[in-house]
């Protein structure tokens, strides 16, 4: 079962910056390069990916199950909208496993750090592919345990010990930030995730960022 993100919405951005040393912004910028047209951002959270897509000139729809996250996303994009010539984002509450859009609606579908929270992973991925136009881009960012036997033990120490402590001190919620590293460790990474994407009908490639702590998976419908 996915975690209830309403409870951490108001500290989510702050903890993301602290936990990733600000690298989450860099990873998102790299993920959206070259995207254009109408884009759906799935599990959009507080709207950071949507903002990056807007800076690219995309028209963005963000969906999430958390009303609190969506409220913050709306506030952030409204505050930033003076940077853009037109209002080019909208948000709605929706389930990634039953997207309320017709087939072939979007030029690209993105999801940053959200697919590991899908209750039914393959169902959500199939929906993301369904709403893509032929030739459209699927872009998924996700966290992972590094492959290196030298780095992985330090990463596990950080995620299992330090992150829950930070969650307790900075957000008053140790439980949520114990869920985070557990969800990363059990999620299929690298070749295993590429195999899942292949099984639902798309060939994807993987790029590793920051020693493999973050993975970018891209595919074309």
């Amino acid at each position: 079962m996915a975690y209830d993100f309403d409870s951490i919405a108001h500290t989510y951005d702050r903890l993301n910056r602290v936990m990733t040393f600000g690298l989450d912004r860099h990873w998102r910028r790299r993920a959206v390069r070259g995207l254009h047209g109408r884009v759906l951002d799935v599990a959009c959270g507080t709207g950071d990916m949507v903002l990056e897509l807007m800076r690219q000139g995309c028209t963005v729809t963000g969906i999430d199950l958390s009303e609190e996250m969506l409220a913050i996303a709306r506030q952030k994009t409204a505050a930033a909208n003076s940077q853009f010539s037109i209002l080019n984002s909208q948000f709605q509450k929706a389930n990634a496993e039953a997207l309320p859009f017709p087939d072939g609606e979007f030029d690209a579908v993105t999801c940053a750090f959200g697919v590991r929270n899908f209750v039914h992973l393959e169902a959500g991925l199939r929906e993301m592919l369904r709403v893509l136009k032929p030739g459209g881009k699927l872009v998924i960012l996700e966290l992972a345990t590094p492959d290196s036997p030298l780095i992985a033990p330090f990463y596990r120490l950080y995620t299992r010990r330090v992150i829950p402590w930070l969650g307790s001190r900075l957000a008053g919620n140790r439980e949520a930030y114990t869920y985070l590293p557990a969800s990363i460790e059990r999620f299929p990474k690298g070749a295993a995730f590429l195999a899942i994407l292949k099984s639902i009908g798309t060939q994807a490639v993987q790029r590793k960022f920051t020693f493999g702590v973050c993975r970018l998976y891209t595919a074309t419908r």
Side-chain angles (χ1 to χ4, degrees), residues 27-207:
W27 297 331
R28 288 188 188 90
R29 288 189 200 106
R30 295 185 69 177
V32 303
R33 286 177 185 168
L35 299 184
H36 58 84
R38 295 192 63 206
V39 181
L40 173 67
D41 188 39
V42 175
C44 67
T46 60
D48 279 347
M49 192 72 158
V50 172
L51 285 170
E52 294 297 341
L53 288 161
M54 289 171 70
R55 293 185 180 103
Q56 286 283 115
C58 300
T59 300
V60 193
T61 299
I63 66 110
D64 203 281
L65 282 174
S66 168
E67 291 282 13
E68 293 295 326
M69 291 280 196
L70 289 170
I72 294 170
R74 292 185 183 102
Q75 292 169 7
K76 285 164 64 174
T77 52
N81 205 49
S82 60
Q83 302 174 32
F84 309 104
S85 58
I86 58 171
L87 181 65
N88 57 355
S89 68
Q90 60 179 327
F91 299 93
Q92 66 184 86
K93 184 174 181 178
N95 189 333
E97 297 174 22
L99 294 172
F101 308 107
D103 296 356
E105 181 79 359
F106 297 96
D107 298 291
V109 177
T110 63
C111 186
F113 316 119
V115 293
R116 71 176 185 278
N117 298 310
F118 289 3
V119 176
H120 303 102
L121 177 59
E122 292 185 16
L125 294 172
R126 284 194 179 94
E127 277 292 273
M128 292 164 74
L129 286 176
R130 179 184 66 78
V131 300
L132 267 178
K133 294 178 181 178
K137 298 290 185 181
L138 176 67
V139 176
I140 295 171
L141 268 180
E142 197 48 83
L143 299 172
T145 303
D147 296 324
S148 169
L150 296 176
I151 298 173
F154 295 100
Y155 177 81
R156 289 191 180 97
L157 176 65
Y158 177 69
T159 56
R160 293 175 182 178
R161 302 290 186 182
V162 178
I163 285 180
W165 179 82
L166 286 171
S168 177
R169 292 298 297 269
L170 299 180
N173 193 328
R174 185 181 182 89
E175 179 188 359
Y177 292 94
T178 300
Y179 165 82
L180 172 65
S183 69
I184 295 169
E185 289 187 21
R186 66 172 172 259
F187 187 77
K189 67 175 183 179
F193 188 57
L194 292 173
I196 291 172
L197 290 168
K198 183 177 181 180
S199 74
I200 63 169
T202 186
Q203 293 279 358
V205 295
Q206 171 192 204
R207 291 181 65 189

